[in-house]
Amino acid sequence: MAVALLLAAGCTGGSGDGASNAAAGKPVPPQVTTGTAAATPPPAPPKPKGAADPALRAFYEQKISWKACTDDPKTKKKNESEFRCGTFKVPLDYTAPGGKSLDIAVMQHPAAKPDQRIGSLVLNPGGPGGSGQDFVKYAFDEFDGPLHDRYDILGFDPRGVADSAPVRCLDDKARDERNARDSPRDPVERKAHGERSGKEFSAACQAESGELLPFVGTRNAARDMDVLRAAVGDDKLNYLGVSYGTYLGTMYLDEFPDRAGRMVLDAVVDPAADKLDASIDQIVGFERSFRAFAADCAARAGCPLGGDPVKAAEIGATFLDALQDKPLRTAYDGRRLTASLGWTGTKSLLYGDKETAWKYLREALALAMNNKDGSHLLFYADNYVGRDEKGHYDNSADSRSAIRCADGAAPAPSPERIEQVLAKLKADAPLLSKDTVASDVEGPGCEFWPYKTPEKPHVVRAEGAPPVLVVGTTGDPATPYAASEKLAKDLAHASLLTLEGEGHGAFGRSECVDAAVAAYIIEGNPPAAGTRCTDGK
């Protein structure tokens, strides 16, 4: 089965001399000779942005009216009334700030030692489509200790996400059908299916959220984050972003390098990467992680993939692919585990660590392969795509697509490029690209999108920003480690902290990483060059 890919013009004139104008029959102004060379007109000053733009003054001068959050009965570790909730306003369109505005939802866990407070630490958990409020709500204890003593822990829902003007495209029934659907194996049918699905989804998003779509890109979310910085009274933005959150962080550095404070970018999405290349690298990363998991499983008693570490991954992939023809029963309202859902559940657990997530994946595969029960894999697939036990979806999948397309689609590749991509997939990810054909990679992923963005991949240098802490995990399947290495080199001032281990994202998984991150955020001291940590230590 093929795993789905994630996915200003200039002109020149003539020489401008009098001879060419005369030859064209145009009047030539008389030349003026002075004792010195004619002065070159000074360049037009750059348009003010952020707090320097008078048109944005009202947004930057607002203050958040905080109130106690409502307790969420689904969370057991914390009563959310101990947190503070509020909203702040931003313009829908930063080029026309006098027009419509959006309310951006934010949650704050106030500093435990207010007399030692440094400021706010703004979080983003990734996605795109992840809720920063949920990050505070569910992962608050990862910041307990020195970080929470000295900082208000702050999470906001980016525009288009969760409680901040959410993008909506599909209803629950349509989303269920889309997530469970397996692509046809026949290349002709597969291409027609992909085009039909892309057109239907784009049309649904336009119908439900058309006004929002041009304005949900990450650059606008970064501008919103600067308004938030001002609204909470901070001179500099202190920030921790994971996965897509690193892309949001680099866009902030791109826009406001002089306003950056202590910035942690964990599990890097490279802003300069070609979109198609990044998708292929991710598929290769997941294949590497799946093979590592399978080999680890084979060394354990009772592994459902058998005891041969060489054959275990192929046995697992063959089983998951076969669900296209024989989906499994589950305990959930007659729903069946298809190949698409089975792979989604499997990949969701490859995001995690070896000790816990890989254990859950062994158990889920054992139930499916030995008992013909797909319930556990379906549970993890549902959790990954934002489906609750009542069958309702959050908007994370809809907003993810909208934000990705607003951030720039890859250009349609040439036939030669398609051949190169297919060759790389067959060589480096043969299990996850078993049925991949040309039509799977020839579309950039946003070809039917109603809004065409001017955003393009580019290197972010962030000259003038203080040192940035970049964190990468060697076995990360979703954002391969090479991207963290590259961003640390591209930024004008950055340090790279490495976690040797499996899984996506390093913060909260290693005492060594957590201590280095806390020291940097509190004291401003990045770890020594070449610092490496290991899982759990």
Side-chain angles (χ1 to χ4, degrees):
M1 175 185 177
V3 176
L5 297 178
L6 302 178
L7 296 177
C11 59
T12 57
S15 63
D17 60 20
S20 62
N21 283 334
K26 299 176 182 178
V28 181
Q31 292 185 333
V32 178
T33 304
T34 64
T36 58
T40 302
K47 183 183 183 301
K49 63 182 178 180
D53 186 348
L56 296 174
R57 183 172 295 130
F59 294 102
Y60 274 88
E61 291 179 349
Q62 69 185 303
K63 300 299 179 186
I64 297 174
S65 179
W66 296 106
K67 62 180 181 180
C69 300
T70 302
D71 182 44
D72 185 346
K74 292 183 294 186
T75 62
K76 306 299 183 184
K77 294 189 296 183
K78 193 77 167 179
N79 184 328
E80 281 74 36
S81 64
E82 299 178 27
F83 300 152
R84 300 200 298 173
C85 288
T87 61
F88 62 100
K89 289 189 178 296
V90 297
L92 172 67
D93 180 358
Y94 273 90
T95 68
K100 292 186 177 182
S101 63
L102 304 175
D103 288 328
I104 304 298
V106 59
M107 179 180 285
Q108 180 196 70
H109 193 195
K113 297 182 178 179
D115 58 324
Q116 301 178 28
R117 179 183 178 276
I118 296 172
S120 299
L121 178 62
V122 178
L123 311 177
N124 183 276
S131 164
Q133 292 190 112
D134 282 353
F135 198 3
V136 175
K137 185 191 300 185
Y138 291 102
F140 69 91
D141 53 354
E142 292 184 7
F143 301 90
D144 281 349
L147 281 177
H148 183 223
D149 287 345
R150 307 294 300 278
Y151 282 91
D152 297 334
I153 306 302
L154 209 64
F156 75 104
D157 293 348
R159 55 173 59 205
V161 175
D163 291 334
S164 297
V167 170
R168 294 288 182 185
C169 300
L170 302 180
D171 61 23
D172 293 337
K173 180 180 179 182
R175 178 60 67 183
D176 263 350
E177 292 173 353
R178 185 179 178 87
N179 290 339
R181 192 183 304 150
D182 293 330
S183 297
R185 292 192 180 96
D186 178 78
V188 175
E189 292 180 14
R190 191 183 191 90
K191 182 175 183 177
H193 162 81
E195 290 181 352
R196 182 171 61 255
S197 179
K199 289 177 180 177
E200 290 173 352
F201 180 72
S202 297
C205 292
Q206 174 66 17
E208 295 293 328
S209 301
E211 184 181 40
L212 276 172
L213 299 183
F215 304 109
V216 295
T218 302
R219 192 171 297 278
N220 279 334
R223 292 165 177 161
D224 297 343
M225 201 154 58
D226 196 53
V227 174
L228 173 60
R229 172 198 59 75
V232 296
D234 286 354
D235 291 330
K236 303 286 185 179
L237 179 78
N238 302 300
Y239 176 79
L240 188 154
V242 183
S243 191
Y244 161 79
T246 67
Y247 185 71
L248 176 58
T250 54
M251 288 301 99
Y252 186 88
L253 288 164
D254 206 28
E255 286 277 311
F256 308 104
D258 59 323
R259 289 297 182 186
R262 295 159 190 178
M263 307 280 289
V264 180
L265 307 178
D266 178 11
V268 166
V269 175
D270 181 9
D274 173 85
K275 301 291 186 182
L276 181 55
D277 283 342
S279 294
I280 301 308
D281 288 344
Q282 188 175 81
I283 292 172
V284 172
F286 273 105
E287 171 121 352
R288 186 211 61 79
S289 290
F290 184 66
R291 289 181 180 276
F293 157 77
D296 178 81
C297 178
R300 300 171 183 268
C303 172
L305 308 180
D308 187 336
V310 176
K311 297 179 180 179
E314 186 171 353
I315 291 171
T318 299
F319 169 79
L320 291 168
D321 287 345
L323 295 176
Q324 180 163 353
D325 299 316
K326 295 182 179 180
L328 292 184
R329 62 179 173 84
T330 73
Y332 299 107
D333 301 326
R335 296 169 67 207
R336 312 287 282 182
L337 183 76
T338 62
S340 181
L341 289 169
W343 274 111
T344 299
T346 297
K347 288 174 62 182
S348 74
L349 290 169
L350 293 177
Y351 275 85
D353 65 324
K354 289 179 65 173
E355 297 306 314
T356 303
W358 285 16
K359 174 178 178 289
Y360 293 157
L361 182 52
R362 289 195 302 273
E363 293 171 349
L365 285 171
L367 185 68
M369 298 176 75
N370 299 335
N371 293 22
K372 307 304 180 187
D373 184 347
S375 298
H376 285 192
L377 282 175
L378 182 59
F379 171 83
Y380 294 119
D382 285 350
N383 185 64
Y384 180 74
V385 298
R387 187 186 195 273
D388 67 19
E389 65 278 3
K390 295 181 179 179
H392 299 312
Y393 285 86
D394 62 24
N395 93 308
S396 58
D398 289 341
S399 61
R400 183 180 303 122
S401 297
I403 294 168
R404 280 180 174 156
C405 288
D407 282 344
S414 66
E416 294 76 18
R417 177 92 165 95
I418 292 173
E419 288 185 12
Q420 292 173 354
V421 166
L422 291 175
K424 179 175 178 58
L425 285 173
K426 298 303 182 185
D428 297 341
L431 299 180
L432 270 67
S433 65
K434 179 181 176 183
D435 298 325
T436 301
V437 296
S439 63
D440 293 323
V441 299
E442 66 186 11
C446 300
E447 59 268 42
F448 304 113
W449 202 244
Y451 165 67
K452 305 303 179 185
T453 176
E455 291 284 351
K456 296 185 182 299
H458 64 286
V459 170
V460 173
R461 290 282 297 159
E463 298 280 0
V468 176
L469 179 56
V470 178
V471 188
T473 301
T474 55
D476 192 324
T479 53
Y481 177 67
S484 293
E485 291 182 299
K486 182 176 180 298
L487 183 64
K489 293 177 181 177
D490 286 347
L491 290 169
H493 306 287
S495 297
L496 176 63
L497 173 64
T498 300
L499 175 64
E500 295 179 343
E502 298 291 336
H504 181 50
F507 181 75
R509 290 180 38 211
S510 161
E511 294 177 4
C512 168
V513 168
D514 293 355
V517 168
Y520 166 73
I521 293 176
I522 294 170
E523 305 295 338
N525 300 321
T531 299
R532 302 179 80 87
C533 300
T534 56
D535 256 337
K537 298 179 181 178

